Amino acid sequence: MELDEAFGLVGEFGPRQRRLTAFLVLLQVFVAFQSMLILIVGAVPEYHIDQEEIPTSTEALAKHVRFANNFTSIATEWYLIKHEAYKVSLASSLYFAGLLIGNIMFGPLSDKLGRKPVYMSGLAFDIIFGYISTFAPNYEIFAISRFFVGITNGGMALVSFVLTQEYVGKSFWALTGSLTNVTFAIGIAVYALLGYCIREWRFLAFVSNSPGLFFFLLSFMLPESPRWLYSQGRTAEAEEVLQYIALGNGKERVNVKLKQCGGAVKRDDSASDVLNLVRHPVLRWRTIILMYIWYVCSLVYYGLTLNAGELGGNLYLNVALYGLVEVPAFPLCMFFIEKPWSGRRKSTTAFLIFAGFACMFTVFLPENTGDIFFSPSLLALYGKFTVSAAFNIIYIYTSELYPTVVRNAGLGVCSMTCRLGGILAPFVPSTKSLGPSVPFMIFGISGLSAGFLTLLLPETLNRPIAETIEDLQTPVYQTLKNKKAE
C-alpha cells in the first residue's frame, strides 16, 4: 500500500500521534525563550551620568553612570550604553546570522541523515551554548555563544517542525503547523512573565534555557519519521514505526505492508541535496517564489514590530503584547486554509495584501490621531496580526509543495531568506532620510508584491503529497509549470 493509505489504516491523528505532536509543539515554548532572550536580557534601564561630558572609555563610564535598580541586563553589567550601545544590537544580529546558517545546514543534513539524529544533536548543542551565554564572563563570549545558539536553535526548530508534520496524516498538517506557531507566540508571552518575575539577567537566562534539558531527555522516546524512512527506501523500518503508531492508537491487529517507494534514494545518493531545488524546473520556480515570500513575511513582520515598539510603556507588557497579538491569527487562518473557496494559496495572498495595505495606510495617518482604532501604532499591530497569519500558512504551504526527499532542504533555503529579511528589517527605517513615508512604502510594496506572486503557486488543499522528485513528473504536481507554459 501507499504511505498515505497506511496512515489512513493506522490513524492519521490518533492518541499516540497527539502525544508526539503535543511534545514537539510544547518545545516551541523553549524555542521562543531562546529567540526572544535579547529583548529583556539586552534591555537598557533608565540611567544617569553624573557629569556633562560623556566618558569615552568603558572604565570611565562605569565610574560615572548610575542605573535604575528595577532590573539587570548585559547593558548594566558591561555598560553597553552610549558608544557601546551597538553591541546589544550586534549580539542580536549574530543570533539571526546563526539562524540563517542553521537553516542552511540542518535542512539538507536531516534529509540525508534522518530527522531524529539531527534534531537531537541540534537540541543538545542548543542547550550547551545556552548555558555558555548564561555564564559568559564577558561580552565577547556572550555574543559568540549567541551566534552558535542561533545556528542550533534555528536548525533544531526547523527539523522539529517537519517531524510534527511527518508523524501525522496529511489532512492534519495544517493543524499541527498552526499549533506549532501559536505555541511559539504564547512562549513569547510566557518569557515576558518570566522576565517580570526574574529581574537578574543571568538567572533569567538560566531559567529560560533549563527546559531544554527536559525536552532533550524525553526526545529519546521519539521515533524516526516514517515518511523519511519510506523516502529512503527503508520500507521495513517505516513499517515498524507505523506499527508502533497503530499500537498506540489502539489498533493492535493492523498489518502494514508498504510497497517499495519508486523513487527511493540510496544512502549515498544526492537526491536530497539543495541543488535538486535548482535542477528540477518545477522545484526551481517554486523555490524562487517561496524564497521571496518568506523574505517579505520576515521583512514586514519585523518592520511592523519595530513600529509597534513606538508604543512605549511597560517593557514586559509590550513583549507579551507582541506575542499575544499573533494568537488570534492562527484560528483565523486555520478556518480559511481548510475551505475549498480559499485554500492555502488565496488565504496567503489575502493576508499578505492586507499587511501591505496596513503599511500603506500608516503613511497617510497623523502620528497623534484622536481615533484609537486608526492610530499608526494600532494599525501596525493590525498588520502584524495579518502577516503572522501569512507566516503560519506559508510554513504549512511550503511543507506541502516540496516532496519528502527535499522537504527539509526546501524549508531550510526558504527559512534562510526569511532570516535575511529579519536581519535587513531594522535597517529599513534609516530610509526615512529620503522621506518619512519611504520605510512604510517599502514594507507595503513588499507585502503587496509577495501576495500577488503567491497566485503563481499551485493549490495544495486536498491534493496528494509528493514523496519523491519523480512524483513531480505526473500532471497533478505540475500546476505551476503548466501555468508558465500557457
Side-chain angles (χ1 to χ4, degrees), residues 170-209:
K170 179 187 176 296
S171 59
F172 288 91
W173 280 22
L175 174 63
T176 57
S178 292
L179 287 175
T180 297
N181 290 323
V182 76
T183 306
F184 181 88
I186 293 172
I188 298 174
V190 174
Y191 175 64
L193 179 62
L194 279 178
Y196 178 78
C197 298
I198 304 172
R199 301 302 179 94
E200 205 283 313
W201 80 265
R202 289 187 185 274
F203 188 34
L204 174 61
F206 178 84
V207 171
S208 299
N209 193 59

Side-chain angles (χ1 to χ4, degrees), residues 316-337:
Y316 308 102
L317 180 61
N318 284 343
V319 173
L321 181 62
Y322 298 154
L324 293 176
V325 74
E326 302 176 32
V327 174
F330 301 117
L332 183 67
C333 70
M334 277 293 297
F335 172 79
F336 284 111
I337 64 177

